[in-house]
Amino acid sequence: MNDEIAAMASTETLAGPDRYAVFGNPISHSRSPAIHRMFASQTGQAISYEKRLAPLDGFAAAVDAYRLEGGRGCNVTVPFKLDAARYATALSQRARAAGAVNTLRFDADGGCYGDNTDGAGLVADLTQRLGLDLAGARVALLGAGGAARGVVLPLLDAGVESLLIVNRTAARALELASLAGDARVVGAGLDALGEATASVVINATSAGLDGSALALPASLWDRVELAYDMVYGRKPTAFMCEATQRACPRVADGLGMLVEQAAESFLLWRGVRPQTAPVYQALRVAIDAGH
Ligand code: NAP
């Protein structure tokens, strides 16, 4: 299959936009096509971008088929980020650190470069749109799944003073902390939040999506300046509502992270960095209007 893909990649591209896609399962909810179409129109890049539903046991075959159709790269979402890390023939440092990939670029020599832009997206949203100074911040990261894995190294690189990773399954948080190999990082179960002195709390769990809520101690909110939920939607999440009830000064959802991680993917594919603020605004208006 690799020879076939290399031969395909080395032939002249037929007229028409370069093709990109997002692979996931489910995928119908994805806003990535809307984001990348706005980026393309803003930067004058001739690309198309579509959603692709891959079978749960068939990620690699689905991506192989897409490359043979002429695809130039793709985003990867739940539940395929670990499969994508295995599929890539080369990984960025941040993808290697995360053990997860959300962006693949198919190169002309048949190689496939894997990157993880989730953490850069989060840090850009926190520092640029929300104006947070991460240097010296004491961060509590809730969750140790794919999303949490992607943000650990970028948060450390941004200069946080400490990073407490807590997870329902404590062993996963301990493992992630030990992978980081940095004295600023501690992993623990959710009960460790009772002793936390965080200035920033980031929810990277999917709790709430199924109606369940995280049980967070009231003392967690004593010093928190910003509560950030990676989940986004028309209504504030249960985590955001709790932060507001506890008088947390600033509360944000993950829409900005979504747009920023997409901009990093676009840069990797096209060599052009799009403006994210107008795209964030357009999406926020669409979501608020129920679209
Ligand atoms: P994942 O790999 O499935 O991990 C889920 C995490 O949530 C695990 O840490 C899991 O704990 C925890 N969890 C699930 N249900 C829970 C509950 N009832 N109580 C406590 N903890 C619970 O998912 P993911 O890829 O990390 O994604 C997590 C969330 O981030 C998703 O909602 C996703 O949409 C969002 N996300 C947003 C962006 C963005 O750009 N805004 C990017 C990436 C992800 P256990 O380990 O104990 O199971």
Side-chain angles (χ1 to χ4, degrees):
M1 177 57 86
N2 280 344
D3 290 348
E4 212 177 337
I5 289 170
M8 178 78 191
S10 64
T11 52
E12 280 297 307
T13 310
L14 296 172
D18 291 343
R19 293 179 57 183
Y20 297 90
V22 56
F23 284 81
N25 187 331
I27 197 61
S28 59
H29 65 287
S30 174
R31 294 190 181 268
S32 291
I35 294 172
H36 283 282
R37 282 177 203 139
M38 283 189 264
F39 286 164
S41 138
Q42 180 201 105
T43 57
Q45 294 283 308
I47 71 159
S48 67
Y49 192 107
E50 62 190 293
K51 298 175 196 173
R52 288 266 174 141
L53 179 73
L56 290 175
D57 59 353
F59 173 76
V63 176
D64 279 348
Y66 184 62
R67 292 173 77 178
L68 288 172
E69 291 168 31
R72 300 282 298 269
C74 64
N75 286 125
V76 180
T77 187
V78 176
F80 298 125
K81 290 183 184 180
L82 303 188
D83 299 81
R86 284 190 288 271
Y87 184 91
T89 54
L91 292 175
S92 66
Q93 190 199 359
R94 58 196 182 184
R96 205 173 308 116
V101 156
N102 76 338
T103 309
L104 290 173
R105 185 189 66 205
F106 310 139
D107 292 328
D109 61 0
C112 174
Y113 183 74
D115 196 3
N116 189 315
T117 66
D118 281 337
L122 171 69
V123 168
D125 195 38
L126 290 174
T127 57
Q128 292 165 27
R129 192 176 64 82
L130 296 167
L132 187 73
D133 185 3
L134 276 172
R138 296 179 311 283
V139 178
L141 179 63
L142 317 182
R149 292 174 77 107
V151 304
V152 171
L153 182 64
L155 285 171
L156 292 172
D157 285 348
V160 299
E161 181 184 306
S162 62
L163 180 57
L164 172 65
I165 306 171
V166 296
N167 195 45
R168 176 177 63 180
T169 310
R172 292 184 80 193
L174 288 163
E175 186 196 345
L176 187 51
S178 123
L179 272 177
D182 187 303
R184 291 173 290 170
V185 187
V186 171
L190 287 170
D191 53 354
L193 288 174
E195 303 297 319
T197 57
S199 57
V200 178
V201 182
I202 300 170
N203 182 25
T205 76
S206 47
L209 294 182
D210 60 359
S212 58
L214 287 166
L216 302 173
S219 61
L220 171 66
W221 302 104
D222 290 350
R223 297 179 187 80
V224 176
E225 292 157 23
L226 172 70
Y228 190 98
D229 199 333
M230 288 193 189
V231 176
Y232 58 86
R234 191 174 180 189
K235 293 184 188 157
T237 64
F239 170 79
M240 292 167 69
C241 290
E242 179 165 354
T244 303
Q245 280 159 14
R246 299 287 183 187
C248 180
R250 302 182 72 194
V251 178
D253 74 5
L255 184 64
M257 174 180 173
L258 180 77
V259 175
E260 296 293 344
Q261 63 78 29
E264 283 281 318
S265 298
F266 194 87
L267 174 66
L268 179 75
W269 294 328
R270 309 303 298 177
V272 182
R273 182 178 287 283
Q275 297 290 318
T276 50
V279 173
Y280 173 85
Q281 283 305 336
L283 277 184
R284 182 60 80 197
V285 168
I287 289 171
D288 287 350
H291 300 307

